[in-house]
Amino acid sequence: MIKHSIIAALVAASLTPLAHAAGEAKNIIFFLGDGMGPTTITAARIYKYKEEGLLNFEKFERTARIITYSNNAQTTDSAPSMAAYMTGVKANNEVLAMTANTTAIAPTTDATNGTKSVNACGSNNGSAVTTLLELAKSNGKAVGAITTTELTHATPAATYAHICHRDAQYDIAAQLVPGGTGFNSALGTGVDVLMGGGRNQFTPYNASTNSKGRSDNRDLLAELKAKGYTVGANKTEMNAAPLDKPYIGLYSATSHLAYDLDRQQAVAAVNAGTATTAQADVATQPTLAEMTSKAIDILSQNHKGFFLMVEGGRIDHALHGTNAKRVMEDTIAFDDAIQAAVDKIKKTDPALSNTLIVVTADHDHTMTFNGYVKRGNPILDIARDVNGKEILDANGVNATTLVFGNGPNRPATRSTLTSSAVLADSYLQETGVRLSSETHGGGDVKLLATGAGATTFKGTMDNTKVFTLMKTAYGF
């Protein structure tokens, strides 16, 4: 009887999830592949490592399936989905880190710079909800947000800003400047590391040199520098930035950083001595992996730990454009950044016993993986069956393995495709429904986690639950 009791206890113990005490994570790095749905992950894996390979983050031991609907839509946009991860609150589409009763009111046109950027939220329109970055900062940790998009774009903004509409980017930028008009006081002394594009939203309007600049004539970069920040505009300046000071790096004068494929080509052109002026500028941009490594170096100076958000934002933009090749390249660059973080942390913490790393996406897209394609067929190529014959539609016309449910490339009459055409850098995959831009998809996304507190990420869960688990891992 005693023997049976011991066996029963051992069996019960083996079925019980491993217990992890709250507060075991000193650091959290949250990676967000914007729009990186399951099909994107699978396609990028095959593109880089073939069918039998794995992306670096796919080797993480904990996985979950994430539900992404917003407060008012089955298919979310990036603002409320990222805010759900950061706050645990469902908001309406377009709304950034605000309560569910906040109405999204689009900005009006700025008469000076012509952008749709004048905040029109009005008063009594919801209230701010605390973000994980703000919680980390209030608990003495260093905090950072880095992205390949504009720094004021929806995903990074959801970590540090509160506003009724994601497009009011000039107001979002002002929330970052300690002591300045519009500063988000919940950020304390400010965000310690910031990197991305969109320098125009931080610098004064000038008709000839900064036509999309700030019409209030504030130079937010000068204000940040006066608060002790080091300011960088390229990879060289980023590398030279001291580790004991807060840092902001804006690597594009306007808009987002370049797609990684274009960055690679720009670097190659510079090395060959054939670069255009535009390519020479793009070649100065750091990779997301380089940005991630530098951010960790700076944030790690805080003995209480840190929170870092890293976004591969241009994955989403390539998907909206139905340009699968740039989707693949930016997903690989995102995966490289994750590995760079793992390598960096493991130098001082080999078992990741102090750091939780979470990788997920804010929403899916409509990219589809067609069958029945033979193993080894290039993922961007024409679909061929196991005998090597092209797979034809009902009218006898071939197609690519990857297509989209909707988007711009919907020919009135389909014609035969060639490998040279579909493998070209700027080829746009065909779509089922013609729209000016491909839309998000409403399907679930994947989450993978490793390190301190990772065992709690499992099963199917709402995106708001991820906030709760990260908060618990910190012990807040």
Side-chain angles (χ1 to χ4, degrees):
M1 188 69 176
I2 294 175
K3 185 182 292 184
H4 285 202
S5 297
I6 294 172
I7 293 173
L10 290 172
V11 170
S14 69
L15 297 175
T16 302
L18 291 174
H20 282 262
E24 65 177 294
K26 177 181 177 182
N27 315 307
I28 294 179
I29 308 176
F30 182 84
F31 283 93
L32 193 288
D34 200 318
M36 189 183 69
T39 300
T40 296
I41 292 173
T42 303
R45 175 202 309 146
I46 295 172
Y47 179 80
K48 179 70 173 181
Y49 297 109
K50 301 182 180 179
E51 291 85 349
E52 63 271 22
L54 288 173
L55 296 171
N56 293 310
F57 67 81
E58 289 186 288
K59 300 171 187 176
F60 290 179
E61 64 274 15
R62 307 303 299 187
T63 61
R65 184 183 180 102
I66 306 300
I67 301 166
T68 63
Y69 68 93
S70 70
N71 185 59
N72 65 342
Q74 289 180 343
T75 304
T76 188
D77 90 285
S78 294
S81 184
M82 182 59 174
Y85 286 129
M86 291 295 104
T87 69
V89 175
K90 290 275 189 185
N92 294 326
N93 275 7
E94 316 294 345
V95 174
L96 278 173
M98 300 284 285
T99 50
N101 64 337
T102 305
T103 301
I105 302 176
T108 56
T109 301
D110 189 311
T112 300
N113 63 23
T115 64
K116 192 175 182 182
S117 62
V118 178
N119 187 354
C121 290
S123 59
N124 301 316
N125 186 10
S127 56
V129 285
T130 304
T131 72
L132 187 62
L133 182 147
E134 291 166 347
L135 282 171
K137 187 71 177 182
S138 67
N139 279 272
K141 295 181 183 293
V143 296
I146 65 178
T147 178
T148 53
T149 69
E150 295 166 323
L151 184 56
T152 54
H153 214 240
T155 297
T159 68
Y160 64 78
H162 308 273
I163 204 160
C164 83
H165 202 286
R166 55 181 285 179
D167 289 347
Q169 290 178 267
Y170 296 80
D171 287 82
I172 290 170
Q175 294 192 38
L176 283 171
V177 184
T181 302
F183 175 58
N184 173 16
S185 60
L187 298 175
T189 58
V191 181
D192 301 282
V193 175
L194 295 158
M195 298 191 219
R199 195 180 309 125
N200 59 296
Q201 288 143 12
F202 291 77
T203 49
Y205 170 82
N206 182 291
S208 58
T209 62
N210 196 19
S211 62
K212 293 184 179 180
R214 300 183 62 85
S215 59
D216 61 6
N217 290 319
R218 288 179 66 184
D219 187 338
L220 302 188
L221 294 183
E223 293 180 34
L224 287 164
K225 191 171 184 178
K227 293 293 181 178
Y229 280 75
T230 302
V231 177
N234 52 55
K235 180 167 67 175
T236 300
E237 292 177 357
M238 178 192 78
N239 290 338
L243 303 183
D244 59 351
K245 296 176 63 177
Y247 174 75
I248 180 167
L250 297 175
Y251 309 123
S252 175
T254 59
S255 194
H256 315 290
L257 303 191
Y259 287 112
D260 200 69
L261 177 63
D262 300 305
R263 184 201 59 77
Q264 294 173 45
Q265 292 174 344
V267 171
V270 168
N271 291 338
T274 60
T276 64
T277 300
Q279 285 181 314
D281 183 60
V282 167
T284 69
Q285 296 177 2
T287 66
L288 188 59
E290 290 166 340
M291 292 160 64
T292 300
S293 293
K294 182 68 177 187
I296 292 172
D297 285 342
I298 295 173
L299 298 176
S300 295
Q301 303 304 305
N302 187 317
H303 70 278
K304 291 186 177 181
F306 64 84
F307 171 80
L308 174 63
M309 189 289 299
V310 181
E311 183 199 19
R314 304 233 60 194
I315 299 168
D316 175 76
H317 298 164
L319 285 160
H320 279 304
T322 66
N323 180 203
K325 187 166 187 177
R326 285 181 171 80
V327 174
M328 300 299 100
E329 291 289 344
D330 265 77
T331 303
I332 297 303
F334 177 66
D335 186 50
D336 289 343
I338 295 165
Q339 189 59 46
V342 171
D343 293 343
K344 178 74 69 173
I345 296 297
K346 282 189 172 181
K347 287 181 178 179
T348 56
D349 181 15
L352 295 179
S353 58
N354 295 323
T355 301
L356 170 63
I357 300 177
V358 177
V359 180
T360 190
D362 46 356
H363 53 76
D364 198 2
H365 273 268
T366 71
M367 189 167 73
T368 300
F369 192 138
N370 284 322
Y372 298 95
V373 182
K374 72 171 184 175
R375 182 172 175 176
N377 198 65
I379 194 65
L380 298 177
D381 205 352
I382 292 164
R384 299 179 180 86
D385 66 19
V386 294
N387 296 312
K389 294 182 178 180
E390 293 185 359
I391 299 172
L392 307 179
D393 69 7
N395 296 314
V397 181
N398 61 4
T400 52
T401 301
L402 300 177
V403 297
F404 287 80
N406 62 56
N409 190 19
R410 165 73 175 177
T413 301
R414 297 194 64 245
S415 57
T416 299
L417 302 171
T418 64
S419 287
S420 61
V422 303
L423 294 174
D425 292 347
S426 297
Y427 177 73
L428 306 184
Q429 274 64 28
E430 291 182 321
T431 67
V433 175
R434 183 184 291 112
L435 296 175
S436 60
S437 177
E438 185 265 355
T439 71
H440 294 174
D444 299 343
V445 297
K446 298 177 72 172
L447 179 147
L448 298 98
T450 191
T455 57
T456 60
F457 294 89
K458 56 188 176 181
T460 300
M461 65 178 74
D462 193 82
N463 52 7
T464 56
K465 179 68 172 178
V466 177
F467 166 79
T468 302
L469 295 180
M470 291 192 292
K471 183 171 174 280
T472 300
Y474 266 146
F476 294 165

